[in-house]
Amino acid sequence: VTSQRLFLLAEMVAGGRYVEALKSPSAEWFFMSDDNSDLRSSEKMNTVPNKFWSQIERKMSKISSISESVEAELLAIAALNIFLQLNYTGPAFDDKSILDGVNPHPCFADYFHVCPQEEEEKGRTITDRRHTKYHNAVLSELAVDGMWPCQVAEVPYLLLLARSILSHLVSADGRPELTVFTSKLFAATCWSARAMVAHERLLLTNEPSSKLWDQVVVAFERCIAEYRKEDAENSQLLAALYLEYGLASYHFEHGKKGKKLFGQALEASELSVEVTGSEGRRTKFQQKATAQMIVRATPRQSGKLKQQESLAKSSEVKSQMVEHPEDNILFETVQYENGEDNKVSELSVLEQAILLALCLDVKNNNPADGLTAEEMSAYLARVLHHHDD
């Protein structure tokens, strides 16, 4: 039964059906009410610093196998992805009632003082819940060292859910029987770090939380140590970890550390990057070529298989492209005198992300003048050569 639940849940998460995942049989098993618990008692709840986290800890106590640990991890991933989708990436949900029974789960409704009548009066929309007791109760759980989260955040309950589940999976303090299973979950630490970065970005403060930063450092260092063991097989994963760690450093205002990590990501990805100048023309009627800043980026590992994949991908993209007549004075891209500079090597999405990270470093470590903008535009132009950016 557990394996069937797990395969169904994994299929939902892999397919981006996150709301379905939070209503799946795995969710029903994990969030089922505990008949033997009485955490709704106000006297008991007032003695616990992180009240909601203590309830999640009780839910985690039912885990008795690695498969069930993976189920809990996937539920947390689904919750975090919905939070990021509604607050950052989009798209928004057309059906406003799609999160009924998930925001929050019924087993936590009494704890968060969710009032059905109040929901009916407000139309049961996600946005209208921002000023309810439920919304404020969730935000109070996400407060860190007196720093309050952003009031207009959508579905902060799902971030709280993801943070609490992943933190228990990673730490499992005082629970040796749980550690036996969770120690096998290598990706849980990485997802926990991502949830912590999202938590920090939600806080309204002039300075980042040192408490969250310490936890993020421990999580990322642990991930990197695990993936360093097999560099040949995990070079791309290691590069992605360095990149995420660097971006997290920028969010926590550790720019120098972030720059170093971007360099390590570049090295791990085996991408060759050179910022230089080359003569070229920007307009159709330009008679004399002038110096243009260019970013030359080529992957060092260009094996036969990768070349075949790139050619197949390029042909597929070209078949979907819409041709535009050259009516504009400006060329779509700079036409360089050196023919090699007009050829563009295929880059993966990870390699494009590393280029954008280097562009971010240029922006944050240089004055806002014309030269900085020109160098940034060279990085952006290199990424915009690809149609999967």
Side-chain angles (χ1 to χ4, degrees), residues 93-100 123-126 129:
F93 293 147
D94 295 329
D95 185 2
K96 297 179 180 179
S97 64
I98 192 173
L99 292 179
D100 286 351
R124 304 180 70 180
T125 64
I126 301 172
R129 293 184 183 181

Side-chain angles (χ1 to χ4, degrees), residues 53 80 83 88 139 141-144 147 149 159-160 163 193-204 212 215 252:
W53 288 43
L80 178 61
F83 173 81
Y88 295 100
L139 293 181
E141 296 277 350
L142 287 169
V144 179
M147 295 179 286
L159 174 62
L160 177 63
R163 284 276 288 119
R194 291 168 178 168
M196 284 185 278
V197 173
H199 192 173
E200 162 59 31
R201 297 183 68 182
L202 195 65
L203 298 177
L204 297 173
L212 286 178
Q215 295 174 2
F252 282 89

Side-chain angles (χ1 to χ4, degrees), residues 345-361:
S345 302
E346 287 292 331
L347 300 179
S348 66
V349 174
L350 173 61
E351 291 165 341
Q352 295 175 49
I354 292 175
L355 288 180
L356 292 178
L358 297 176
C359 179
L360 174 66
D361 179 68

Side-chain angles (χ1 to χ4, degrees), residues 340-388:
E340 293 298 321
D341 290 333
N342 293 318
K343 298 178 181 179
V344 179
S345 302
E346 287 292 331
L347 300 179
S348 66
V349 174
L350 173 61
E351 291 165 341
Q352 295 175 49
I354 292 175
L355 288 180
L356 292 178
L358 297 176
C359 179
L360 174 66
D361 179 68
V362 171
K363 174 185 176 183
N364 291 343
N365 292 283
N366 292 281
D369 55 21
L371 183 59
T372 301
E374 189 70 21
E375 186 173 357
M376 290 175 61
S377 65
Y379 279 102
L380 294 175
R382 180 62 182 85
V383 174
L384 290 172
H385 274 296
H386 303 275
H387 297 276
D388 59 348

Side-chain angles (χ1 to χ4, degrees), residues 52-96:
F52 181 79
W53 288 43
S54 66
Q55 294 209 22
I56 292 297
E57 185 177 4
R58 291 185 61 84
K59 300 294 183 186
M60 302 289 289
S61 64
K62 66 180 69 176
I63 293 177
S64 59
S65 65
I66 297 177
S67 297
E68 292 178 349
S69 299
V70 176
E71 283 186 90
E73 180 185 6
L74 290 175
L75 290 172
I77 291 172
L80 178 61
N81 282 334
I82 293 176
F83 173 81
L84 296 176
Q85 176 181 339
L86 292 179
N87 288 279
Y88 295 100
T89 64
F93 293 147
D94 295 329
D95 185 2
K96 297 179 180 179

Side-chain angles (χ1 to χ4, degrees), residues 316-327:
E316 180 181 356
V317 170
K318 288 180 179 179
S319 65
Q320 300 174 356
M321 288 176 58
V322 177
E323 297 292 338
H324 297 281
E326 291 288 343
D327 293 336

